[in-house]
């Protein structure tokens, strides 16, 4: 399938629409200005790229929802997707860790407003969220679970987030100037969405695509909670893997829309990654950073920057890097510096995003229809298991009607991996680390040397660690915004735990955190299997569902974690093997046609109130059962923001 | 040595011990260092192979010293040399904190 981009919409500091944004770019307007919406007097900076305009400035109950609905509606209208269009999926990238309890609720609210009738998935890897979201949109189309996808991201700049970045010392006092003298970033906000469709379907509707989505990838730095890996190796892996996915050589890329935050650490590492993966000595493709005029719109950044890239490609220009004075050492000498776009014919462009916890993402867009025919995705298998159950249960206790409740016992890190510093690890991270290690070991897989690049980790969870969240808000209450806990702030992103585990174990192939609400533990398997089926640079992906109980949670909640390893084929790892087939991925409560030859197992049966843990648990138990009986099982979940059906069968047992 | 001088020195030692206790408590309770407070060697390095703190922890540590021990640092060039070991932190608190005499 060739995936076409047939629409886009943007709400940014440069205006309420994509056209307004581009008009501002052409006239050299900079969206970064004095912040007037909240008090910044005690902060390290007073500057930010806030969304302006009468309709958007009034404090509606949920600014993020407002931004997302406007941008997604614009994208949908531009694509000419009629109201009655068939299955339209929504993939929403957002950071929003500090205020939103259930990210899937936001996705459902946006979907209801814009009439998205397909599955809704939230990607929350902080500042790379929307870039990964757009890639997942491609996967949903390719696997036939949507007829069109609205994919992108949203974030608002809250005083807490602004204060958090200031505490980390990464915010420029004035306007940021990526790759130039001023060090530090400028924060922003907004929403950006693109519409993705099968090119044949777009053509049948008589729509001319703006461009084609040729490839995407994610990677993990496995380096630090907030700083990028100085060598840029993680970003370079994300670039190479996207080139592989797109079947393009490095010389094909004409333009890089860089993450380019403006911080000393990011810009130098990213430039090194670009010159390594796309360059040849001093030669490299054209590079610019749209954060120089949009600010850093966090979870929306990647989508907004891709839209700026697309709008430039349409016009034969590339967006500039504004605010450039003199080049910075170890940065490009001329990052398309100027106040307006520069003429450049771009055939293929790559947009890069990086995030807290070293979660990198990249997406490649092409002006011409890709000619290489993509092979059908390969089948995916699974082996290995890891389980952390609520304290009063052992795996042998699990009868068909067992209902689990309660907290899990504390995981001792010395038993999980040697030499791990357990300092400050929250319950969520500890459980995730244990099930990841147990799953890898029981699958006969090690993470050493170059194998580290060939393993990924996908976590399904509904929210950040509740203990970390309590610590973050507690520090604000006790010491004020300007003195909030920087270390707790770094944990206010959904991927914090998964990223901490990649650091601990040296997993560098991929890291992400996804939510579809209560079905997260099962939907993660579907999304990881799509990724593995396309990304030959990986041998396996650990898929884990996890849930840490909050103090306020009801008494029937269950805490725990569960993991299996998706593997590329029977030759990866050792031990019992099952085949994983994603049969269904639809809107919540949608009908799940069951294969006649499989026993149905509902993910809510053993731990109905347990975030991402319940789905993961059901999956592990179903794999055990299939291995024991040789008979197929169909694991289902209809809750949260998606309905999921995954068929698990004895490997090789399914003949055509 | 006069009695006054002797009392002064003993007072300095007691003050230093008290501040060391406070700094160790911050390291355990706020920075989550997984050791008993009195097992933290005053000369252990804060970063790297010592207590394993990083740049994010450094921010938190400075805020804790400010809010809990009243440390006001007049010159940012003092920060780095003060954050080598537990003892250099104690020196910082003694010279720039609101230590009750």
């Amino acid at each position: 399938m060739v995936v076409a981009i047939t629409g886009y919409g943007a709400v940014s500091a440069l205006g309420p629409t994509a056209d307004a944004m581009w008009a501002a770019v052409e006239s050299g307007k900079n969206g970064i200005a004095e912040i007037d919406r909240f008090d910044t007097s005690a902060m390290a900076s007073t500057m930010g790229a806030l969304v302006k305009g009468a309709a958007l400035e009034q404090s509606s109950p949920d600014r993020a929802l407002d931004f997302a609905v406007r941008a997604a509606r614009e994208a949908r209208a531009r694509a000419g997707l009629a109201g009655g269009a068939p299955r339209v999926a929504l993939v929403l990238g957002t950071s929003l860790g500090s205020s939103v309890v259930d990210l899937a609720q936001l996705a459902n609210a946006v979907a209801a407003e814009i009439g998205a009738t397909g599955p809704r998935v939230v990607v929350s890897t902080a500042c790379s969220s929307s870039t990964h979201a757009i890639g997942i949109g491609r996967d949903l189309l390719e696997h036939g679970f949507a007829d069109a996808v609205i994919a992108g991201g949203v974030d608002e700049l809250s005083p807490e987030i602004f204060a958090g970045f200031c505490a980390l010392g990464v915010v420029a006092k004035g306007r940021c100037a990526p790759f130039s003298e001023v060090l530090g970033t400028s924060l922003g906000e907004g929403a950006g969405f693109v519409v993705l469709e099968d090119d044949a379907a777009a053509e049948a509707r008589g729509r001319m695509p703006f461009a084609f989505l040729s490839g995407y990838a994610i990677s993990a730095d496995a380096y630090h909670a907030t700083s990028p890996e100085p060598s840029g190796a993680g970003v370079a892996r994300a670039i190479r893997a996207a080139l592989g996915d797109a079947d393009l050589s490095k010389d094909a890329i004409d333009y890089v829309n860089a993450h380019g935050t403006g911080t000393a650490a990011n810009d130098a590492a990213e430039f090194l990654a670009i010159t390594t993966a796309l360059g040849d000595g001093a030669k490299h493709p054209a590079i610019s950073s749209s954060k120089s005029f949009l600010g850093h719109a966090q979870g929306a950044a990647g989508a907004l920057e891709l839209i700026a890239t697309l709008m430039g490609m349409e016009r034969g220009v590339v967006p500039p890097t504004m605010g450039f004075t003199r080049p910075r050492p170890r940065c490009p000498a001329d990052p398309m510096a100027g106040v307006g776009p520069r003429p450049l014919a771009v055939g293929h462009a790559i947009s890069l995003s990086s995030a807290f916890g070293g979660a990198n993402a990249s997406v490649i867009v092409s002006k011409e229809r890709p000619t290489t025919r993509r092979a059908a995705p390969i089948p995916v298998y699974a082996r290995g298991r890891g389980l952390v159950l609520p304290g009063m249960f052992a795996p042998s206790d699990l009868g068909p009607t067992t209902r689990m409740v309660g907290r899990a016992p504390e995981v001792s890190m010395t038993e999980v991996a040697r030499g791990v510093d357990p300092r400050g690890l929250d319950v969520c991270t500890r459980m995730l680390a244990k099930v990841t290690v147990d799953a890898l070991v029981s699958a006969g897989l090690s993470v050493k040397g170059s194998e580290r690049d060939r393993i990924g980790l996908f976590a399904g969870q509904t929210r950040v660690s509740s203990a970390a969240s309590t610590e973050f808000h507690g520090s604000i209450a006790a010491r004020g915004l300007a003195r909030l806990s920087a270390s707790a702030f770094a944990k206010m992103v959904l991927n914090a735990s998964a990223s901490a585990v990649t650091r601990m174990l040296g997993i560098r192939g991929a890291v992400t955190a996804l939510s579809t609400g209560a079905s997260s533990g099962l939907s993660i398997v579907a999304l990881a299997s799509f990724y593995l089926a396309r990304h030959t640079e990986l041998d396996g992906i650990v898929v884990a569902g996890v849930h840490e109980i909050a103090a306020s949670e009801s008494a029937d909640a269950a805490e725990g974690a569960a993991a299996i390893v998706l593997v590329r084929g029977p030759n990866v790892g050792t031990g019992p093997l099952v085949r994983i087939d994603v049969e269904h991925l639809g809107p919540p409560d949608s009908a799940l046609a069951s294969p006649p030859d499989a026993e149905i197992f509902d993910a809510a049966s053993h731990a109905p109130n347990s975030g991402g843990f319940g789905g993961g648990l059901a999956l592990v138990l179903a794999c055990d059962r299939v291995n024991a009986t040789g008979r197929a099982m169909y694991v289902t979940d209809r809750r949260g923001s998606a309905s999921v059906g995954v068929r698990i069968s004895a490997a090789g047992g399914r003949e055509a | 040595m006069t009695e006054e001088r002797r009392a002064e020195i003993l007072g300095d030692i007691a003050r230093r011990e008290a501040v060391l206790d406070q700094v160790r408590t911050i390291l355990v309770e706020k920075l989550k260092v997984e050791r008993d407070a009195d097992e933290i060697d005053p000369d252990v390095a804060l970063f790297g192979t010592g207590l394993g703190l990083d740049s994010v922890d450094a921010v938190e540590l400075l805020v804790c010293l400010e809010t809990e021990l009243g440390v006001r640092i007049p010159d940012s060039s003092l920060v780095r040399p003060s954050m080598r070991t537990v003892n250099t932190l104690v020196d910082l608190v003694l010279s720039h904190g609101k230590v009750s005499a």
Side-chain angles (χ1 to χ4, degrees):
Chain A
M1 178 186 292
V2 171
V3 173
I5 300 171
T6 55
Y8 52 76
V11 170
S12 73
L14 290 181
T17 64
D19 287 330
M21 175 174 92
W22 189 258
V25 173
E26 283 194 329
S27 63
K29 195 179 154 219
N30 195 314
I32 305 165
E34 287 285 334
I35 293 174
D36 50 14
R37 205 179 71 236
F38 52 83
D39 180 21
T40 55
S41 53
M43 313 284 183
S45 172
T46 58
M47 306 287 276
L50 299 185
V51 171
K52 302 279 183 188
L56 288 160
E57 258 176 308
Q58 52 181 293
S59 22
S60 83
D62 193 331
R63 279 166 56 85
L65 177 61
D66 202 20
F67 295 167
V69 168
R70 279 168 186 269
R73 274 199 187 127
E74 184 195 356
R76 192 178 173 138
R78 195 180 302 261
L81 272 186
R87 301 167 306 160
V88 179
L90 174 71
V91 190
L92 180 83
T94 187
S95 197
L96 277 178
S98 64
S99 54
V100 173
V101 174
D102 187 342
L103 294 165
Q105 284 171 359
L106 178 68
N108 276 340
V110 174
E113 289 285 334
I114 61 166
T117 51
R120 301 104 203 223
V121 177
V122 176
V123 185
S124 193
T125 54
C127 302
S128 59
S129 301
S130 53
T131 302
H132 187 198
I134 288 166
I136 288 180
R138 192 280 305 270
D139 292 342
L140 293 182
L141 278 177
E142 241 180 29
H143 287 263
F145 294 112
D147 301 306
V149 182
I150 299 177
V154 61
D155 262 315
E156 69 168 303
L157 184 54
S158 69
E160 290 80 10
I161 288 169
F162 188 76
F165 278 98
C166 284
L168 288 172
V170 295
V171 182
K173 208 170 165 51
R175 282 188 182 129
C176 72
F179 308 120
S180 189
E181 289 172 295
V182 172
L183 296 178
T185 196
S186 295
L187 290 157
E189 61 180 6
F193 287 91
V194 296
V195 175
L196 305 175
E197 287 181 79
D198 178 359
D199 175 45
E203 202 179 330
R205 297 196 300 116
R207 306 300 299 192
M208 260 301 269
F210 294 102
F212 300 88
L213 201 166
S214 323
Y216 89 101
I218 59 173
S219 74
D221 275 356
Y223 178 73
H224 188 264
T226 58
S227 300
E229 211 241 313
S231 78
V235 176
R237 280 194 296 279
I239 295 172
R240 291 196 188 99
L243 287 171
D245 187 33
D247 197 18
L248 287 173
S249 75
K250 64 178 187 176
D251 312 321
I253 302 294
D254 304 303
Y255 167 66
V256 183
N257 187 296
H259 187 56
T261 57
T263 66
N266 175 83
D267 294 1
E270 188 179 16
F271 183 53
L272 203 49
I274 293 167
T275 47
T276 314
L278 293 172
D280 184 8
K283 243 183 78 213
H284 58 80
I287 301 171
S288 72
S289 167
S290 304
K291 287 188 179 68
S292 60
F293 49 86
L294 290 171
H296 188 343
Q298 315 158 62
L304 286 173
E305 290 156 18
L306 184 71
I307 292 166
T309 302
L310 290 169
M311 296 184 83
M313 279 169 85
E314 268 178 87
R315 295 161 175 82
V317 298
V318 292
T321 301
M322 294 188 192
F324 189 91
T325 45
R326 270 193 296 269
R328 197 190 293 175
R330 297 183 292 140
C331 285
D334 176 18
M336 301 284 113
V339 287
R342 280 222 219 150
L344 185 75
V346 175
H348 303 278
I350 188 164
S351 180
L352 303 178
S353 297
S354 297
F356 276 8
N360 307 302
S362 62
V363 58
I364 298 175
V365 290
S366 307
K367 199 162 175 58
E368 302 300 326
R369 179 177 286 102
T371 46
T372 42
R373 250 191 97 74
R374 297 170 62 89
I378 58 148
V380 168
Y381 299 84
R383 59 177 20 136
R385 76 203 281 279
L387 271 182
V388 171
L389 300 176
M392 60 185 85
F393 297 92
S396 55
D397 295 340
L398 286 173
T401 57
T402 313
R403 287 274 175 129
M404 289 195 185
V405 291
R407 282 183 185 274
E410 184 172 297
V411 172
S412 155
M413 293 312 292
T414 48
E415 287 168 27
V416 172
R418 246 178 311 166
V420 169
D421 179 6
R423 196 173 56 86
L425 295 180
D426 51 60
V427 169
C428 184
T429 305
R430 284 166 182 261
M431 294 191 297
L432 195 58
K434 177 161 175 55
V435 297
T436 301
V437 168
D438 288 352
L440 284 167
V441 169
S442 58
L445 291 165
S446 64
V447 190
K448 292 193 193 108
S450 64
E451 290 165 353
R452 299 168 60 179
D453 297 351
R454 303 192 59 82
I455 299 289
L457 172 61
F458 277 45
Q461 58 194 95
T462 53
R463 57 170 189 234
V464 302
S465 160
S466 40
S469 180
T470 304
E471 187 189 346
F472 176 66
H473 294 291
S475 75
I476 294 173
R479 312 191 303 219
L481 263 185
R483 292 187 181 80
L484 54 72
S485 163
S487 40
F489 174 66
K491 294 181 192 166
M492 290 300 100
V493 295
L494 196 68
N495 64 309
S497 288
S499 285
V501 174
T502 62
R503 280 200 295 287
M504 225 179 276
L505 305 178
I507 292 172
R508 301 191 297 206
V511 65
T512 193
L514 301 160
S515 176
T516 57
S519 59
S520 299
L522 191 59
S523 59
I524 190 86
V525 175
L527 299 164
S529 79
F530 301 158
Y531 191 81
L532 186 62
R534 274 286 172 226
H535 283 268
T536 52
E537 76 277 8
L538 295 185
D539 286 334
I541 298 177
V542 178
V543 287
V546 63
H547 187 64
E548 174 185 328
I549 286 186
S552 59
E553 216 159 333
S554 62
D556 69 338
E559 183 172 87
I564 59 171
V565 189
L566 298 184
V567 291
R568 170 158 306 287
N571 297 332
V572 178
T574 54
L577 185 76
V578 294
R579 181 161 161 177
I580 301 282
D581 288 283
V582 181
E583 305 276 348
H584 181 85
L585 186 55
D589 291 319
S590 58
L592 287 147
S594 59
D597 60 339
E599 182 190 340
I600 292 178
F601 184 16
D602 192 73
S605 27
H606 288 301
N609 182 7
S610 62
F613 166 52
L617 175 66
L619 201 75
V620 167
L621 297 178
C623 289
D624 283 355
R625 193 103 61 95
V626 171
N627 281 322
T629 65
R631 285 199 306 276
M633 305 223 25
Y634 190 54
V635 188
T636 61
D637 202 331
R638 304 174 63 207
R639 303 171 298 164
S641 63
S643 293
V644 195
V646 178
R647 185 182 191 277
I648 301 166
S649 51
R654 193 182 212 208
E655 305 299 333
Chain B
M1 188 187 289
T2 64
E3 275 304 307
E4 290 84 36
R5 180 66 188 133
R6 190 183 158 77
E8 202 179 305
I9 291 172
L10 285 176
D12 282 348
I13 292 173
R15 247 192 317 273
R16 189 164 187 95
E17 281 298 315
V19 170
L20 176 62
D21 279 349
Q22 289 172 314
V23 170
R24 281 168 160 169
T25 304
I26 287 173
L27 288 169
V28 171
E29 290 181 0
K30 296 291 160 61
L31 281 301
K32 315 278 164 50
V33 170
E34 299 231 342
R35 299 185 196 182
D36 289 335
D38 51 11
E39 279 176 13
I40 297 176
D41 187 322
D43 286 317
V44 72
L46 298 176
F47 301 98
T49 50
L51 294 181
L53 303 191
D54 68 8
S55 56
V56 179
D57 297 313
V59 177
E60 176 68 7
L61 188 53
L62 284 175
V63 172
C64 288
L65 293 178
E66 184 190 334
T67 53
E68 297 188 21
L69 303 179
V71 174
R72 294 278 186 278
I73 303 173
D75 175 358
S76 61
S77 71
L78 289 172
V79 171
R80 198 170 277 270
S82 302
M83 297 194 76
R84 286 194 300 114
T85 67
V86 178
N87 259 337
T88 60
L89 281 181
V90 172
D91 293 339
L92 179 76
V93 177
L94 287 169
S95 54
H96 293 95
K98 257 193 300 193
V99 185
S100 43

